[in-house]
Amino acid sequence: GRRAARDAGRDGGGSAGPFDGRKVCHQVAPGTPVSQCLPDLMLIGNSKCGSTSIAAYLLSNPQIIMQTADHGRYGREVSRATREEGAKVVEWESHVFDTHGLSDDDVMEENWATAPFVPTSEVGDHLQLHYRPNYFYYPDVPFRIADLYSNARSIKYVAILREPVAH
């Protein structure tokens, strides 16, 4: 099933892109040319620290795709208003690990529900970003990531902090 990517190792699905060696993916359905992957980058932060702006800057790079509430940002532009005005786009935040009480299978189901569908031949051409600032408030998140993502040690984690007394 969809959870198989957890144990699949690095399988870029035949792509020869620059990031192929770090990808953990699975085909959406047997015989289809579409895959979903585990994230390569995780952006976490805190409220009002600029993490949404950093996500928008990263997403403006054509080699970055994003997990989102609506099956990801692949082949879709970030709106000009979002980049210029810094408007918060809630659908960008993937609520995969911040719901307590979910089984491992349910967490992975949520992961696949937010992962973009990418042509299998192109999975190695992109890094996939998982953005959720509130993971700082869930102390079990790092352990669940380590348990459920077979690529947890190769994910690049970006933590955005702020000065709490700055005005």
Side-chain angles (χ1 to χ4, degrees), residues 12 14-20 121 124-125:
S15 172
F19 308 114
D20 191 48
S121 63
D125 295 337

Side-chain angles (χ1 to χ4, degrees), residues 36-119:
Q36 288 181 298
C37 302
L38 295 177
D40 303 294
L41 308 166
M42 291 192 85
L43 176 62
I44 58 175
N46 213 331
S47 297
K48 307 298 179 200
C49 68
S51 56
T52 302
S53 293
I54 298 296
Y57 299 142
L58 288 170
L59 197 52
S60 69
N61 182 318
Q63 290 183 304
I64 304 291
I65 58 176
M66 182 186 272
Q67 282 183 249
T68 65
D70 64 347
H71 266 300
R73 295 275 159 202
Y74 173 77
R76 290 191 280 167
E77 289 293 317
V78 178
S79 77
R80 188 171 194 72
T82 299
R83 280 186 283 175
E84 291 177 358
E85 298 168 20
K88 182 132 181 147
V89 181
V90 176
E91 74 176 17
W92 286 6
E93 297 181 11
S94 297
H95 299 268
V96 174
F97 293 102
D98 57 357
T99 304
H100 293 293
L102 291 182
S103 70
D104 289 353
D105 287 334
D106 288 341
V107 169
M108 289 308 292
E109 207 46 49
E110 183 66 25
N111 175 75
W112 298 126
T114 62
F117 296 111
V118 179

Side-chain angles (χ1 to χ4, degrees), residues 22 38-42 145 149 151-157:
R22 64 177 295 120
L38 295 177
D40 303 294
L41 308 166
M42 291 192 85
I145 291 170
Y149 285 178
N151 66 332
R153 290 182 176 257
S154 69
I155 294 172
K156 302 302 179 196
Y157 299 89

